Amino acid sequence: MSDSSSPQLHASVLQFLMNHGYMESVEAFKREARRHLDTLSSLQVSDDQLVNDLSQLQIQRPNELVDGDGNYFSSMVSDFSDIHYTNILAVAIEPQTHALATSSIDKTVKISTVLCNGNADISQRSYRHHQAPVLSIDFHPTLPNLMLTTSMDGTSVLVDTSFEADFGEDLEKAGIHQVFKNHQKYVVRGLFSPDTGKYIATASYDRTVCVYVVDESEGSASLPRYKLLKQLGPFIGNAETICFVNDSTLVVGVRDDNYLHYINLENNMQQERINMNATGDDWVSFSPICISVSSDGSQLLCTTDHKSGRTILFETGTSRQIQNYYVNATDNTFATKRHVWHPSGLYFYASGGDDNSICVVETKTGRVIASLTGHEAMIRSLVLDTQVGLVSAGYDHSVKIWSKPSNTLIR
């Protein structure tokens, strides 16, 4: 806002919300604008004053954000309904070979070969390394055959996908490289550090995050082995989401917590808490459920569980809010909200609305410039590969690939 930071103008905005019955917004506005409103003895504003004050409002678009260029993935080029025949929970793409890994509630992980035109080889390899469904999949950034899976059974498993089983050996059980059993409940996310894969981080509903590091004493092995460096927590709530800023900085988002937790992995696991509330108070009106960092590391996008669909763009490492978005508003508390950045940083994709679509959001303006439709049930996972495109999967048992408009549907 312009001079719009005056208490009188804040009172006018509040009066407008009250006059039009936006009572939930009223309560949120009162909390966040408290320091301005407390200076007024009365919140009553005349109609003429209301019109005059609201006319002063000028939204200032952040200068560091750039206008969209119209170059984003928007056309469905592949639709696979025969990889799994049950609800799909997780999707990942190996960054070098572009292999597609998927998991479903049948406890399997399947790897399919994906071509850059969006087609896939459905003669996959299937794995069953867990006793319960797999909730997340990630690949080592430089070793194409090293895959990390985490499960509802409380374990995390490293898999050598190049392993060839002996005659008579159960193919679905083959290739286990390491098993980690440090969590007591669901392990909802597991990630390699993005540049070298030196670290692994896993987040669990036991309110802890485990950080593993390459065990240098095992240097002769063809694939690295990892050891537990530290178990962080317990946090105030379930560890819901994690992301790496770079190879040495991890960010943790926790349920029922208004802070993002930055962990410096190279400096004795030093922690810094960043308050997500613009006013600096400790009121918890939303929780982070999906966080990720832009490709240049300068911005952190945080999707929250607020029913307004609020997603906040922070300057990485600070509490400064660059932009707020309201995407996929829903009262459905069971909705799984996910987002993924477009590589340019000019857009991001967001799912979790009642219509099971994927919104393409322009980062600078917050405009939903496209809606990708085709899923018939809740989307559970989104991932993006610059060669393959945007990949989505969910409870309609399908995996869909979205690419540039010039491409055509293959299956």
Side-chain angles (χ1 to χ4, degrees), residues 233-309:
F235 294 97
I236 194 171
N238 293 336
E240 185 69 44
T241 177
I242 54 175
C243 72
F244 281 96
V245 175
N246 49 46
D247 246 26
S248 61
T249 305
L250 176 71
V251 188
V252 179
V254 178
R255 287 280 188 178
D256 303 316
D257 190 357
N258 57 289
Y259 289 88
L260 293 173
H261 302 261
Y262 281 75
I263 318 296
N264 189 326
L265 305 181
E266 300 287 345
N267 187 15
N268 199 32
M269 307 296 283
Q270 181 179 345
Q271 299 188 39
E272 181 181 5
R273 298 194 312 161
I274 300 296
N275 196 336
M276 292 187 291
N277 290 339
T279 57
D281 63 23
D282 282 332
W283 180 270
V284 181
S285 57
F286 58 83
S287 297
I289 55 174
C290 181
I291 57 175
S292 65
V293 175
S294 60
S295 58
D296 65 1
S298 66
Q299 298 162 359
L300 183 142
L301 192 63
C302 174
T303 295
T304 75
D305 61 355
H306 197 275
K307 60 185 178 182
S308 68

Side-chain angles (χ1 to χ4, degrees), residues 29-85:
F29 188 77
K30 282 181 177 178
R31 289 194 299 270
E32 296 193 13
R34 185 172 59 238
R35 68 178 184 273
H36 298 290
L37 299 175
D38 284 349
T39 64
L40 294 177
S41 58
S42 172
L43 296 180
Q44 295 302 313
V45 180
S46 69
D47 289 345
D48 289 343
Q49 184 66 44
L50 178 61
V51 171
N52 180 67
D53 286 345
L54 292 180
S55 69
Q56 299 179 40
L57 289 176
Q58 297 177 14
I59 303 301
Q60 303 297 320
R61 297 300 179 193
N63 291 330
E64 65 260 51
L65 299 181
V66 179
D67 290 324
D69 58 5
N71 186 15
Y72 53 88
F73 303 121
S74 61
S75 293
M76 189 193 307
V77 296
S78 298
D79 185 0
F80 303 108
S81 57
D82 49 359
I83 296 178
H84 297 276
Y85 298 98

Side-chain angles (χ1 to χ4, degrees), residues 3-20:
D3 179 83
S4 17
S5 60
S6 72
Q8 182 66 46
L9 187 51
H10 279 76
S12 292
V13 173
L14 181 60
Q15 188 72 54
F16 173 84
L17 295 175
M18 294 172 64
N19 289 351
H20 289 79

Side-chain angles (χ1 to χ4, degrees), residues 318-391:
T318 78
S319 60
R320 185 171 78 90
Q321 298 184 12
I322 301 173
Q323 181 65 288
N324 275 256
Y325 313 95
Y326 295 88
V327 186
N328 294 321
T330 179
D331 291 327
N332 181 4
T333 58
F334 297 101
T336 299
K337 296 184 178 181
R338 295 288 184 263
H339 73 250
V340 64
W341 284 93
H342 188 276
S344 67
L346 303 179
Y347 305 97
F348 65 89
Y349 303 87
S351 63
D354 294 329
D355 63 357
N356 306 313
S357 67
I358 303 168
C359 293
V360 184
V361 183
E362 187 178 44
T363 308
K364 180 176 182 177
T365 64
R367 291 188 304 118
V368 176
I369 59 170
S371 183
L372 312 185
T373 59
H375 280 285
E376 298 178 357
M378 185 177 74
I379 297 169
R380 185 62 171 70
S381 186
L382 295 174
V383 67
L384 192 143
D385 178 276
T386 55
Q387 298 298 316
V388 175
L390 173 70
V391 181

Side-chain angles (χ1 to χ4, degrees), residues 155-186:
T155 68
S156 305
V157 176
L158 282 176
V159 182
D160 179 0
T161 61
S162 68
F163 182 84
E164 295 295 337
D166 293 331
F167 180 76
E169 186 177 356
D170 186 348
L171 295 177
E172 289 193 337
K173 301 292 185 182
I176 292 180
H177 182 61
Q178 271 186 281
V179 179
F180 305 107
K181 299 182 178 180
N182 303 100
H183 290 295
Q184 304 303 311
K185 292 185 178 180
Y186 295 177

